[in-house]
Amino acid sequence: MFKGAIFDLDGVITDTSRLHFLAWKETLAKYNIPYDENINNLFKGLPRHETLLAILKLKSLPNKFSIRQIEKICEEKNDLYVKKINFIDEKNIYPRIQNFIQSLNKHNVKLALASSSQNAKTILKQLNLISFFDYLVDPITIKNPKPAPDIYIAATKGLHLSPNECIGIEDAIVGIEGLQAANIFTVGIDYGVKPVQLKSDISFATPSDISLDKIIKAYEKQKK
């Protein structure tokens, strides 16, 4: 049995991806940069600074803005996003995820959050889930963003566990790749996305489909 579970936030515990998308779309519109859901899906799971740089590169605009302007755009996006998340509460937790988290607690599994979002702690509080978590990684302290393994290694250290004693639950391909690089058993929430489905040690279509029994069996089978 694994001793630790490392969670991503958006797309795993709650759906704030729509709010991220709307915040980016509204912010970038002020700078005449078109933004749609297809572009949004390409950079899912990246921190906002890296997201903006990736958008500008995709649009062939890598040198259009100064470093200060890039910081300003990121701040504008975050301010707008924070206003939007003020309205989320327990109703925004994915069905069955709360039960899944409670089941992990009953099995004495330590929980960590490894989200790139600097607003993750605030969101967990609003969802009334923060008391279940033993450790929250501060993304500001992480040098290399996903898909680098840094944030997941930090999570295992925060739980005082080795990577092979943990599972990681992610919905984005950069998250799955980061978990693999950290040598952590990967649980994918694939939403029908083939790369996530194929690269995960076990995957579920949506957070509502997640099964602790199936994860335990797959984890124990791999460790034999």
Side-chain angles (χ1 to χ4, degrees):
M1 178 70 178
F2 49 87
K3 297 179 180 179
I6 300 168
F7 284 78
D8 184 30
L9 179 64
D10 180 39
V12 173
I13 295 175
T14 187
D15 183 13
T16 54
S17 60
R18 182 68 183 171
L19 302 183
H20 279 294
F21 167 66
L22 292 174
W24 274 122
K25 185 177 177 67
E26 292 173 36
T27 301
L28 293 173
K30 295 192 296 183
Y31 298 90
N32 298 312
I33 301 175
Y35 192 71
D36 58 33
E37 293 195 33
N38 290 328
I39 298 173
N40 190 69
N41 290 336
L42 289 175
F43 309 124
K44 192 174 183 181
L46 291 177
R48 58 178 173 266
H49 185 265
E50 284 72 15
T51 297
L52 180 55
L53 293 180
I55 293 167
L56 294 177
K57 183 178 180 181
L58 180 69
K59 296 289 186 178
S60 300
L61 301 169
N63 301 313
K64 181 175 181 179
F65 301 101
S66 67
I67 294 174
R68 178 62 193 126
Q69 286 174 315
I70 288 173
E71 290 175 353
K72 181 174 180 290
I73 294 170
C74 287
E75 289 170 3
E76 289 174 358
K77 181 268 176 181
N78 188 58
D79 289 344
L80 189 54
Y81 173 70
V82 169
K83 290 179 182 177
K84 293 179 183 297
I85 64 173
N86 283 334
F87 298 98
I88 69 171
D89 56 26
E90 291 179 61
K91 296 191 295 293
N92 297 97
I93 303 171
Y94 284 121
R96 291 188 64 184
I97 280 294
Q98 189 163 6
N99 290 337
F100 177 67
I101 289 172
Q102 290 170 340
S103 295
L104 290 171
N105 271 201
K106 289 177 182 177
H107 281 78
N108 297 314
V109 176
K110 294 181 179 180
L111 305 188
L113 190 75
S115 171
S116 300
S117 173
Q118 295 177 31
N119 302 296
K121 185 175 182 179
T122 299
I123 294 171
L124 274 189
K125 286 181 178 178
Q126 289 181 213
L127 296 174
N128 201 26
L129 290 176
I130 196 162
S131 63
F132 291 100
F133 284 80
D134 301 278
Y135 186 73
L136 309 181
V137 180
D138 181 354
I140 294 178
T141 66
I142 303 303
K143 182 179 179 180
N144 300 303
K146 302 174 185 181
D150 302 32
I151 195 168
Y152 305 109
I153 297 298
T156 62
K157 289 180 178 178
L159 294 177
H160 304 290
L161 297 171
S162 63
N164 62 13
E165 292 178 305
C166 298
I167 65 169
I169 306 158
E170 275 278 3
D171 70 311
I173 190 61
V174 292
I176 297 298
E177 290 173 348
L179 287 167
Q180 288 177 330
N183 194 33
I184 295 170
F185 183 90
T186 56
V187 179
I189 307 296
D190 61 67
Y191 294 103
V193 176
K194 288 295 182 183
V196 174
Q197 190 179 84
L198 295 173
K199 286 196 172 186
S200 301
D201 292 310
I202 185 173
S203 70
F204 301 93
T206 71
S208 300
D209 299 308
I210 201 163
S211 165
L212 179 56
D213 288 341
K214 290 181 179 179
I215 293 171
I216 291 171
K217 288 178 182 177
Y219 175 85
E220 290 179 344
K221 182 179 179 181
Q222 188 190 81
K223 298 304 175 183
K224 285 181 178 179

